[in-house]
Amino acid sequence: MSSRLATLLGLSQGSEDQHHLQKAFEEGRKTPTRQTTNLKMPPSPIKYYYDLMSQPSRALFIIFRLSGMPFEDCVVALRNGEHLTDDFKRDINRFQRVPCINDNGNKLAESVAILRYLSAKGKIPEHLYPKYFVDQSRVDEFLEWHHISLRLTCAMYFRTVWLEPLLTGRTPTEAKIEMMRMHMERNLDVVEEVWLESSDFLTGSALCVADIFAACEIEQTRMADYDVRIKYPKIRAWLKRVRQSCNPHYDVAHKFVYQISGTGPQAKL
């Protein structure tokens, strides 16, 4: 630093203040070194393992699409037994079923557990699965009822009439078919007379995940030559509203159901 500059700043030559100022001045002229930082890669989209022949797989597929949530398609061909391998059991789902997910190392099975997990992460919009506890309880009430009633009996009817004959080559007796149909229709009666008694959708005036899970289950019976629309006018109108609210994703999810049953979404009674 020049003596003239030191004088202007009120510093005497050789003073401690001048020494510190000179050092700071010189360091400020040095070319700054570039700081290196370790940038974290953004998390990958979840891996979604599913087969559109599976009712809950279709439900989550539609919910994910409606939510705008990116995911990696990991299609599992149940018909080829891809879920029954040791690799699938070890690396994907210990229960060897679909649907299931892998969220950056967090492996999770069971469709409703997956739904609630992703809702807690903010991935599912509140109009589909509410966060307010009162509204959420209404949706959960249906999901709990559905799992041990509507889903169970629709699935057993489908299995008896369509799946088991396909796998075994044996035709069920008329008595067994009638028994399975009776159990299923008891729960369809509840949907018609209780859940849809006075509302357009199962838990209120707007579509939610309950409607999607139930619709996917009921649609499966098409493949067993059962047309729910004939006996249940409220369910018929409700299915139409659900499809309209979910399309184009609803029809994409049900393309195999339409093809195998030979009945398109607009098929007449």
Side-chain angles (χ1 to χ4, degrees), residues 118-170:
L118 293 172
S119 172
K121 290 190 69 175
K123 301 294 186 181
I124 308 298
E126 290 192 46
H127 69 271
L128 289 178
Y129 187 65
K131 289 190 180 298
Y132 177 55
F133 70 97
V134 174
D135 295 337
Q136 187 182 101
S137 70
R138 297 302 179 202
V139 179
D140 285 341
E141 180 183 36
F142 178 84
L143 293 176
E144 298 295 339
W145 175 84
H146 162 83
H147 191 72
I148 59 172
S149 53
L150 184 65
R151 169 159 171 69
L152 177 63
T153 53
C154 285
M156 288 304 298
Y157 181 85
F158 165 76
R159 183 180 182 89
T160 299
V161 176
W162 189 86
L163 187 59
E164 288 181 354
L166 180 69
L167 296 176
T168 66
R170 295 193 296 269

Side-chain angles (χ1 to χ4, degrees), residues 50-122:
Y50 68 97
D51 185 334
L52 291 179
M53 287 292 288
S54 154
Q55 306 93 302
S57 286
R58 292 197 300 272
L60 285 183
F61 177 89
I62 294 168
I63 292 166
F64 291 174
R65 290 298 191 198
L66 289 174
S67 301
M69 186 189 76
F71 61 88
E72 181 181 339
D73 273 302
C74 300
V75 178
V76 180
L78 298 180
R79 62 192 177 279
N80 296 333
E82 292 180 1
H83 59 305
L84 300 177
T85 66
D86 290 338
D87 288 346
F88 190 96
K89 182 177 183 179
R90 181 187 64 247
D91 300 331
I92 299 173
N93 182 3
R94 55 188 172 169
F95 302 118
Q96 296 183 282
R97 298 173 182 171
V98 293
C100 56
I101 64 169
N102 185 330
D103 184 16
N104 291 277
N106 183 26
K107 301 173 185 177
L108 190 61
E110 299 300 325
S111 55
V112 175
I114 292 168
L115 167 73
R116 289 170 177 158
Y117 167 77
L118 293 172
S119 172
K121 290 190 69 175

Side-chain angles (χ1 to χ4, degrees), residues 156-157 160-161 164 172-183:
M156 288 304 298
Y157 181 85
T160 299
V161 176
E164 288 181 354
T173 65
E174 288 298 322
K176 186 173 183 180
I177 293 174
E178 178 61 22
M179 180 180 67
M180 292 299 161
R181 184 191 61 78
M182 180 184 66
H183 289 319

Side-chain angles (χ1 to χ4, degrees), residues 205-265:
S205 60
L207 176 90
C208 72
V209 297
D211 300 283
I212 299 171
F213 274 101
C216 289
E217 201 65 54
I218 292 173
E219 291 281 18
Q220 191 86 345
T221 63
R222 284 176 181 252
M223 294 192 291
D225 294 326
Y226 186 85
D227 194 338
V228 70
R229 301 173 301 167
I230 295 173
K231 189 175 179 179
Y232 298 99
K234 287 185 179 179
I235 292 178
R236 178 175 68 242
W238 163 76
L239 280 173
K240 186 176 181 180
R241 287 191 291 271
V242 173
R243 175 176 173 264
Q244 290 173 341
S245 299
C246 294
N247 258 344
H249 315 301
Y250 192 90
D251 284 350
V252 171
H254 287 91
K255 61 183 178 180
F256 294 129
V257 174
Y258 298 154
Q259 290 171 6
I260 293 171
S261 66
T263 61

